[in-house]
Amino acid sequence: MLFRVIVAKMGNAEQIQKALTAWAEQFYGAESSLEHVARLSGGASQETWAVDIAADGGKYELILRRVPGGFKQSARNSEAIGLATEARLLECASGTVPAPKVMGVFSPDSDMGEAFLMNRISGETIARKILRDDDYSVAREKLTVQCGKALAGIHAIPVSELPDLPETPGLAQLDKYEDIYRGFDMPRPIFELAISWLRQNPPPPSPSVLVHGDFRLGNLIVDESGLAAVLDWELAHLGDPREDIAWLCVNSWRFGHTENRVGGFGQLEDLLSAYADAGGQSFSPEDIDWWEILGSLKWGIMCMIMYEAYRSGADPSVERAAIGRRVSETEIDLLNLLEGKA
């Protein structure tokens, strides 16, 4: 049996090889072979591996998402819903939203540890390439409508069919992130202004739906024809549909293309029209403003968390320090959003 691992300093490669081999023989048959496993650089809170399996004269290309080391760690994002729940959400989305197909789920007490396998979808996730490369010029023209349709599909999945998920409306999120911010004992006047305005101008409530929680470039696979798949459902929860729409509009996720409010590639009016045409609620751009301000504030506080992880030595990576420096960017964004409102 041919087996190749491309990975450095990964003591659990043998564990993964053994577990994948056993799964492949059970799923594809005893004649199957594990040909290739490579740790990918993406995935900040989970391990991501590319897996190739030969069976029935063909090759099956898969992606493995796995808890670091196979077992839960305290450093994981406390909001993450768990991989088994994420896999169940992908199954719920099947046929409604472009998403990978789940092929297998591993329990925490398995040889693999907590993980799941899904089919590998071709395309690009790096925002810079999607927004600038000529290969994606046609895709950029289609993405706004496709994202509106995908968001409508996510929000339309019946709550009764979903696994158990936390419910976190907007004001509850504001409470949480303000508590985190206060814990730093590092007052920032722009954040104080944003918190005050958000508390004084809460939007009317909307019935809770499935919210993806991180719908933006970086978590979307895009090919030459547009949206190919929605990834990374680990922050999914029940909440207000405007949260997902606004998160895609946060300036930090436009990657320098600030003139295009939707992800750096489209206009909000077009997204909202496509969303409504696909069965979503009818929202105006003004309905999204409160949620975009909340999203920018949340990201700013997340940047503070990243810097603290670097400063304290909990995660001394250059990435954490670099993200921490982006707090000031979110303050500029908040000033622009609050102009004429506060």
Side-chain angles (χ1 to χ4, degrees):
M1 180 179 68
L2 175 65
F3 175 73
R4 184 161 61 103
V5 175
I6 302 177
V7 64
K9 298 181 180 179
M10 287 300 299
N12 58 6
E14 184 176 352
Q15 175 190 5
I16 290 174
Q17 173 191 1
K18 178 181 176 182
L20 285 173
T21 298
W23 177 84
E25 290 178 351
Q26 180 180 21
F27 192 84
Y28 293 109
E31 301 302 315
S32 65
S33 61
L34 184 62
E35 290 194 328
H36 173 85
V37 175
R39 175 76 184 271
L40 303 179
S41 59
S45 60
Q46 310 289 1
E47 294 179 7
T48 305
W49 299 71
V51 178
D52 292 345
I53 294 174
D56 303 323
K59 182 173 73 172
Y60 296 87
E61 298 180 336
L62 309 175
I63 289 289
L64 174 71
R65 276 176 61 78
R66 182 174 183 258
V67 168
F71 303 96
K72 290 184 177 180
Q73 299 177 355
S74 59
R76 287 185 62 205
N77 189 327
S78 62
E79 294 185 9
I81 57 177
L83 289 179
T85 303
E86 185 177 351
R88 177 66 187 128
L89 286 178
L90 286 171
E91 293 172 342
C92 291
S94 177
T96 302
V97 180
K101 179 180 179 181
V102 175
M103 308 300 292
V105 180
F106 300 86
S107 65
D109 59 356
S110 68
D111 290 341
M112 176 70 76
E114 186 178 354
F116 71 85
L117 279 164
M118 57 187 176
N119 69 307
R120 194 155 82 235
I121 297 175
S122 298
E124 183 59 75
T125 60
I126 299 175
R128 177 184 58 80
K129 292 180 176 291
I130 295 168
L131 292 174
R132 299 180 185 175
D133 288 6
D134 290 341
D135 289 344
Y136 302 102
S137 59
V138 173
R140 287 193 292 272
E141 295 176 358
K142 298 180 178 180
L143 264 179
T144 304
V145 170
Q146 291 171 334
C147 286
K149 182 178 180 181
L151 285 170
I154 292 171
H155 299 161
I157 296 174
V159 173
S160 60
E161 297 180 4
L162 300 173
D164 187 33
L165 293 171
E167 186 166 5
T168 52
L171 287 175
Q173 293 184 40
L174 180 58
D175 289 341
K176 173 183 176 178
Y177 280 91
E178 183 179 0
D179 285 345
I180 295 171
Y181 162 69
R182 301 289 178 206
F184 287 116
D185 193 23
M186 190 183 299
R188 306 187 75 97
I190 306 306
F191 284 7
E192 297 288 345
L193 177 64
I195 291 169
S196 176
W197 185 89
L198 288 166
R199 291 210 177 278
Q200 292 175 27
N201 297 274
S206 180
S208 288
V209 299
L210 171 63
V211 173
H212 179 276
D214 202 9
F215 191 99
R216 60 176 177 83
L217 288 185
N219 292 333
L220 308 176
I221 296 180
V222 176
D223 61 22
E224 288 81 358
S225 61
L227 181 63
V230 180
L231 305 176
D232 293 347
W233 297 64
E234 65 181 5
L235 298 182
H237 57 275
L238 301 181
D240 194 300
R242 292 168 290 188
E243 179 186 342
D244 269 342
I245 296 170
W247 189 244
L248 183 58
C249 294
V250 167
N251 192 42
S252 295
W253 309 133
R254 300 180 205 171
F255 300 94
H257 296 256
T258 58
E259 70 281 6
N260 296 321
R261 188 174 177 183
V262 175
F265 54 81
Q267 300 305 315
L268 181 55
E269 292 82 355
D270 297 332
L271 179 81
L272 294 177
S273 177
Y275 179 82
D277 288 346
Q281 296 183 57
S282 293
F283 295 125
S284 69
E286 292 73 25
D287 291 327
I288 307 304
D289 290 350
W290 190 92
W291 295 91
E292 187 176 346
I293 293 170
L294 176 63
S296 296
L297 175 67
K298 284 168 54 179
W299 177 237
I301 295 171
M302 290 178 198
C303 290
M304 294 181 71
I305 295 170
M306 298 286 188
Y307 176 74
E308 177 60 23
Y310 171 80
R311 188 201 64 79
S312 67
D315 184 348
S317 67
V318 174
E319 179 186 20
R320 290 292 178 263
I323 294 175
R325 293 181 68 245
R326 298 187 66 185
V327 173
S328 59
E329 295 177 9
T330 65
E331 290 177 316
I332 294 172
D333 293 339
L334 286 168
L335 280 176
N336 289 331
L337 289 168
L338 288 165
E339 185 177 4
K341 294 181 181 295

